[in-house]
Amino acid sequence: QQHQASSRETMTDAVPPADELSKHCYMEISVAGSPPETVVFELDTAICRKTSHNFLSLCASHRKAARPSRTNMPRAETGLPAVPTYRNTEFHRIKPGFMVQGGDYENFDGTGGRSIYSTSTFEDESFANKHHTGGILSMANRGKATNGSQFFITLGNASHLDGKHVAFGRVVHGMDVVMQMASVETDEKNRPIPMQRIVVVDCGIGNGKGKASNGTLRQDGRRSEGKRTKKDKKGRKQDRRKRSDFSSSSSDSSSSDDSSYHRHRSKKHKKRKRETSRSRSRDRGHSSSSKRHSHKERKRSKKKHSRERYDDRKRRGRSRSRSR
């Protein structure tokens, strides 16, 4: 029930017109733990409107998919809800020279993944686009009219897939990242080994350059910027003031070698050094005084003992003289 409720969050059968859909979306992909790099897709919204809308909606989701705690169990048995998004998903199938496949936000192994529509899978929209070269974005399926959330990117000519899979876009930037994905080490099931996982760190609408926390699907491929919080605005203003102060003071003292920024840093450094030296001297003074104190006590105790011995000797001498 939890799984069905979470999946219904984005389920809708209404498809917007082609001119309202963005033609570009991106994914930031980390290969084997390396820093994420951007791959940009151009979608054919005119021919494959429904397929493009499904892909764009899963890219635009702000949530994160979670890997099941036990990969050998279906998510329905674990009781964890599935989040319909491409963010934090993995490319689970790698076939060098052929394709790389991902998009399973349910089980992370190619056995799950639903569409945003109420039927969980939808029909093959069009076979007009061909798999004639590398970088073609196409839908993965389990037969006729079983398109869900899984997709693949071709690494070369795959014309044998024409008429079986719906090609709805292509890679316009980051094909070198896709080829790097194809070179990771895999197991006998063509899955990347745990140390070589390929993770979609971030995704969204547009080309990934002007990223915002929330975006809308636009024709020009850009993301509309979200509202900035008061805290962010305040921090930016303070940064600008500091920069202007430094630039103005450095322009006034152009004859000096060091800029005002470095002088400011050196003042702070000297102040920090003074504070540390004072604290050290305090510690040393405390320790030395305690040492002096203990030394005086030892001297007093020695004197005391020596006096007692002297008195004892005197008494013994007196007693001896009396006995004589």
Side-chain angles (χ1 to χ4, degrees):
Q1 290 176 350
Q2 287 179 348
H3 169 75
Q4 289 176 354
S6 63
S7 297
R8 284 189 192 120
E9 289 180 11
T10 56
M11 279 184 180
T12 175
D13 291 331
V15 182
D19 57 350
E20 293 183 10
L21 291 173
S22 172
K23 288 188 176 181
H24 295 87
C25 60
Y26 72 94
M27 289 183 179
E28 289 190 359
I29 300 170
S30 172
V31 182
S34 62
E37 296 185 64
T38 306
V39 178
V40 181
F41 303 100
E42 184 181 46
L43 309 183
D44 190 351
T45 55
I47 297 175
C48 302
R49 185 163 56 98
K50 190 171 185 177
T51 310
S52 298
H53 178 56
N54 179 66
F55 191 81
L56 287 168
S57 298
L58 291 168
C59 277
S61 174
H62 307 305
R63 301 174 66 188
K64 279 188 177 182
R67 172 181 272 275
S69 56
R70 292 167 63 183
T71 54
N72 58 343
M73 286 180 65
R75 186 178 286 272
E77 295 180 18
T78 61
L80 295 169
V83 180
T85 180
Y86 286 141
R87 187 176 284 103
N88 207 42
T89 59
E90 298 175 9
F91 282 81
H92 58 269
R93 190 180 177 208
I94 308 296
K95 299 198 89 174
F98 177 32
M99 60 88 187
V100 292
Q101 184 174 334
D104 182 5
Y105 63 81
E106 286 186 310
N107 301 326
F108 283 55
D109 59 359
T111 60
R114 304 183 177 201
S115 71
I116 64 166
Y117 306 114
S118 58
T119 53
S120 74
T121 60
F122 60 98
E123 69 281 357
D124 299 320
E125 193 169 10
S126 173
F127 296 121
N129 296 320
K130 306 300 179 184
H131 304 79
H132 61 285
T133 184
I136 300 297
L137 179 64
S138 185
M139 292 299 294
N141 58 40
R142 294 185 295 272
K144 189 177 179 181
T146 56
N147 299 292
S149 64
Q150 292 189 45
F151 63 93
F152 64 89
I153 307 167
T154 60
L155 302 174
N157 184 10
S159 55
H160 61 284
L161 301 178
D162 295 343
K164 298 175 184 176
H165 295 266
V166 178
F168 63 99
R170 64 190 181 95
V171 176
V172 293
H173 174 75
M175 193 59 196
D176 56 333
V177 183
V178 178
M179 299 308 290
Q180 188 183 349
M181 292 158 58
S183 63
V184 300
E185 187 179 350
T186 56
D187 58 14
E188 64 278 0
K189 294 182 179 179
N190 297 317
R191 294 175 186 170
I193 61 173
M195 295 295 289
Q196 300 275 307
R197 283 177 180 163
I198 304 168
V199 183
V200 180
V201 178
D202 194 13
C203 56
I205 307 302
N207 55 13
K209 291 180 181 178
K211 289 189 288 184
S213 60
N214 52 5
T216 55
L217 310 185
R218 289 174 53 176
Q219 171 66 21
D220 55 3
R222 297 177 184 174
R223 297 182 72 182
S224 60
E225 291 190 7
K227 292 181 180 178
R228 291 176 181 173
T229 60
K230 289 183 179 179
K231 196 174 181 181
D232 293 339
K233 287 181 180 178
K234 192 176 180 182
R236 288 193 181 104
K237 281 182 182 177
Q238 287 176 354
D239 291 339
R240 280 198 292 270
R241 280 175 194 160
K242 283 180 182 177
R243 281 194 222 106
S244 62
D245 292 342
F246 287 139
S247 61
S248 61
S249 57
S250 61
S251 61
D252 294 337
S253 58
S254 57
S255 59
S256 62
D257 295 330
D258 296 330
S259 66
S260 60
Y261 175 74
H262 292 296
R263 285 203 302 276
H264 180 70
R265 289 289 297 272
S266 62
K267 281 180 183 177
K268 286 181 76 175
H269 182 65
K270 285 177 183 176
K271 188 178 178 182
R272 200 180 296 116
K273 280 185 77 175
R274 280 199 298 272
E275 287 174 356
T276 52
S277 62
R278 282 171 189 165
S279 62
R280 283 174 185 168
S281 63
R282 270 192 239 109
D283 295 339
R284 283 173 188 164
H286 179 71
S287 61
S288 60
S289 64
S290 62
K291 283 179 182 176
R292 283 199 298 272
H293 186 66
S294 59
H295 181 65
K296 285 179 181 178
E297 283 183 351
R298 281 199 298 272
K299 284 183 81 174
R300 283 172 192 159
S301 63
K302 278 183 181 179
K303 283 181 179 178
K304 190 178 178 182
H305 287 305
S306 62
R307 280 173 192 160
E308 287 175 355
R309 285 173 194 158
Y310 180 73
D311 294 339
D312 287 341
R313 283 173 192 165
K314 265 192 166 184
R315 285 192 209 106
R316 284 172 193 165
R318 286 171 187 169
S319 62
R320 281 173 188 169
S321 62
R322 283 173 189 173
S323 61
R324 284 173 189 174

